[in-house]
Amino acid sequence: MKLNRRARRATLVVHVVGAACWLGLTLGLVALALTAITTDSATATEAAVRSMKVFADWLVIPLALLTLASGLLLSLGTQWGLTRHRWVYTKFWLTLATTTASAFALRPGIDDTVATVTAGHPITDTADLIAGPLVSLGAYLFMTVLSVLKPWGLTRRGQRQRAQTQRDQKRRASAHKRVDAEDVRQTA
């Protein structure tokens, strides 16, 4: 299935906007985590981790799923393919991994920190609070670089597909030449 031009463009816009929002949201989570870790004010710490919880509960998973779904649709509906180019394949698995990590590591970690801070206790494991957003930010920046540079070329499957397409094109071209040569007519 190939997307028509209008559908491809619309999906590409959704994908880029979703990925940009996910990246920006993660940068915001890093800033809030740094605020929670470095401030001496219990009120500021609580406000920062509560804000992180709102972001994690309401925005992270929907943006992750939007980016994953639109990227999958683009890869399957365009010439790039899901397993044809190494950069697409890598981006897909990184997006899937970061989506899973966001759901099962980032959100529960933030929830635990909020429970600790609202109970009046200080944050005991600051590395835990900042590690998730920093790893996510690094992964999203790497995926952005992959999208722009498109490195590494074709996968083995992509190389086989390209070779098969080239053989098919040569076969069709040579079949046309034989037909044309047999149907030569002399003109006056």
Side-chain angles (χ1 to χ4, degrees):
M1 172 190 93
K2 294 292 180 200
L3 296 173
N4 65 35
R5 182 180 175 152
R6 176 178 266 163
R8 182 183 51 79
R9 284 181 160 191
T11 307
L12 182 61
V13 167
V14 167
H15 183 68
V16 170
V17 169
C21 288
W22 199 14
L23 178 65
L25 176 65
T26 304
L27 190 58
L29 288 172
V30 169
L32 288 169
L34 285 173
T35 300
I37 291 168
T38 59
T39 188
D40 291 331
S41 167
T43 306
T45 299
E46 185 174 348
V49 296
R50 283 182 180 266
S51 297
M52 288 179 74
K53 180 171 174 41
V54 170
F55 286 174
D57 286 349
W58 291 98
L59 297 173
V60 169
I61 299 302
L63 287 171
L65 293 174
L66 178 68
T67 304
L68 181 64
S70 60
L72 188 59
L73 183 60
L74 279 171
S75 67
L76 295 175
T78 64
Q79 81 278 4
W80 295 108
L82 182 60
T83 59
R84 187 175 174 143
H85 295 271
R86 286 186 181 106
W87 71 271
V88 175
Y89 190 71
T90 302
K91 265 189 70 177
F92 170 73
W93 285 108
L94 279 173
T95 303
L96 189 61
T98 53
T99 300
T100 304
S102 294
F104 297 111
L106 179 70
R107 286 183 65 209
I110 290 172
D111 290 344
D112 291 345
T113 303
V114 169
T116 300
V117 170
T118 54
H121 304 294
I123 299 173
T124 55
D125 194 2
T126 56
D128 223 17
L129 187 62
I130 192 75
L134 280 177
V135 169
S136 296
L137 183 63
Y140 307 148
L141 289 173
F142 179 66
M143 287 187 278
T144 301
V145 169
L146 290 180
S147 295
V148 172
L149 299 180
K150 298 173 179 47
W152 306 325
L154 297 172
T155 61
R156 287 186 190 136
R157 182 170 189 252
Q159 290 168 355
R160 286 192 308 269
Q161 286 175 338
R162 179 176 281 171
Q164 182 63 43
T165 301
Q166 289 172 348
R167 284 191 300 270
D168 291 346
Q169 287 173 346
K170 284 181 184 178
R171 194 173 306 125
R172 274 188 250 122
S174 64
H176 286 34
K177 287 179 185 175
R178 281 194 308 272
V179 170
D180 291 342
E182 293 170 3
D183 191 28
V184 175
R185 296 183 188 157
Q186 289 191 353
T187 57

